[in-house]
């Protein structure tokens, strides 16, 4: 009859070896399925390009908004300048009219 102590020790060693081999195979399988470094770098490059394009789109939108605001401000300044020039041109005549109405400056002079 075989020695049960030796048999059980051998079975325990075999189970431990099988467990180690299974872990090794799992690790090997994991790394075998992983993409290569080149694939990882290409993926990273695509992500960076995508993010850069998104930033460009957002920047272009923001720039268009700023340009529209600046253009609107320029138009408002142009209108204010035009109105101010018109009022300044009429001012001397209005001052003379007020002086005539109040009698400070007699008419006909």
């Amino acid at each position: 009859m075989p020695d049960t102590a030796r048999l059980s020790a051998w079975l325990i060693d075999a189970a431990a070896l099988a467990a180690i081999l299974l872990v090794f195979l799992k690790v090997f399988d994991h790394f075998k399925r992983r993409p290569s470094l080149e694939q990882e770098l290409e993926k990273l490059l695509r992500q960076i390009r995508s993010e850069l394009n998104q930033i460009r789109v957002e920047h272009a939108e923001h720039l268009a908004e700023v340009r529209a605001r600046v253009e609107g401000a320029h138009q408002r300044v142009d209108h204010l300048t035009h109105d101010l020039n018109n009022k300044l041109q009429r001012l001397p005549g209005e001052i003379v009219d007020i002086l005539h109405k109040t009698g400070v400056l007699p008419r006909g002079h």
Side-chain angles (χ1 to χ4, degrees), residues 8-87:
S8 63
W10 183 85
L11 286 174
I12 290 172
D13 289 345
L17 189 58
I20 291 171
L21 183 60
L22 183 62
V23 168
F24 175 75
L25 289 174
K26 288 277 187 187
V27 168
F28 179 75
D29 189 48
H30 173 74
F31 283 106
K32 185 177 78 173
R33 280 194 246 146
R34 289 194 66 195
S36 69
L37 182 59
E38 183 178 350
Q39 290 171 327
E40 287 288 334
L41 289 174
E42 286 174 357
K43 179 181 173 186
L44 184 59
L45 184 60
R46 282 192 303 273
Q47 287 175 339
I48 290 171
R49 283 181 180 153
S50 174
E51 289 176 17
L52 278 175
N53 285 334
Q54 180 63 32
I55 289 170
R56 283 184 185 131
V57 167
E58 290 171 4
H59 178 71
E61 290 170 357
H62 180 68
L63 191 58
E65 180 183 326
V66 168
R67 284 182 178 152
R69 285 181 176 176
V70 168
E71 180 60 32
H74 278 287
Q75 289 175 354
R76 287 191 299 276
V77 168
D78 288 345
H79 290 304
L80 288 172
T81 303
H82 181 73
D83 288 346
L84 184 60
N85 283 335
N86 285 341
K87 288 178 181 176

